[in-house]
Amino acid sequence: MSRRSARATSRHPRSRSPPAPVPAASARPCGLPAAYGACCGRLHSAAAAAPIAELLMRSRYSAFAVQDAAYLLRSWHPDTRPRTLDLDADMRWQGLDILATTEGSAFHTTGTVTFRAHYTHEGEPGELHEQSRFARHEGAWVYLDAVFTR
């Protein structure tokens, strides 16, 4: 997910406390059956790296859900990454649907993930439909950019 898609801005950073730790046994925000600590939490803490682009996409969605801007910046390609990221505290991510993937496996250097993310913002429901592009950078999958779809 991109900075624009998450209602984040890099223009006017606000002072913000780091996100509260997410309990390892809590449900995974991206909807897969594994507990947060066994999957996305391992990626967020840098204990593991995403082996495929789809898992990086899911971990980035989870990072938006738990307000982990540091992980989002770390998993962003340096050519397209903003210097700072200020996440919208009023955004509540409700669910993620992966619609399609192309390439993005251990045998590829690029890949795309098309998804629909459901959210509420200031109590109003919404959804984001996006095709994210991923690339390998120094051996690791990173988010490159996105095309927004309707």
Side-chain angles (χ1 to χ4, degrees):
M1 290 186 348
S2 73
R3 174 181 43 157
R4 187 175 115 196
S5 69
R7 294 185 185 254
T9 178
S10 60
R11 287 184 235 150
H12 303 289
R14 290 180 285 187
S15 168
R16 174 184 306 250
S17 303
V22 177
S26 66
R28 188 169 175 193
C30 73
L32 290 181
Y36 173 80
C39 219
C40 289
R42 291 175 39 85
L43 302 179
H44 294 175
S45 70
I52 62 173
E54 180 183 337
L55 289 180
L56 181 65
M57 171 61 234
R58 289 179 178 277
S59 72
R60 286 178 56 81
Y61 170 85
S62 293
F64 277 103
V66 301
Q67 300 275 305
D68 188 346
Y71 177 76
L72 291 166
L73 291 170
R74 271 195 327 274
S75 62
W76 209 313
H77 195 284
D79 291 347
T80 58
R81 175 178 52 221
R83 284 188 289 170
T84 61
L85 188 63
D86 186 33
L87 301 175
D88 187 337
D90 293 325
M91 228 26 189
R92 299 289 180 257
W93 295 97
Q94 306 295 319
L96 176 67
D97 301 318
I98 301 294
L99 305 175
T101 61
T102 60
E103 299 184 333
S105 78
F107 304 105
H108 297 106
T109 57
T110 62
T112 65
V113 179
T114 304
F115 66 91
R116 184 170 288 117
H118 306 275
Y119 64 85
T120 57
H121 183 254
E122 297 179 349
E124 294 295 319
E127 66 179 38
L128 169 73
H129 190 188
E130 178 179 308
Q131 181 181 65
S132 291
R133 291 189 325 140
F134 298 88
R136 290 215 185 248
H137 178 73
E138 297 178 353
W141 283 108
V142 292
Y143 168 79
L144 187 59
D145 60 17
V147 174
F148 300 95
T149 59
R150 293 238 171 212

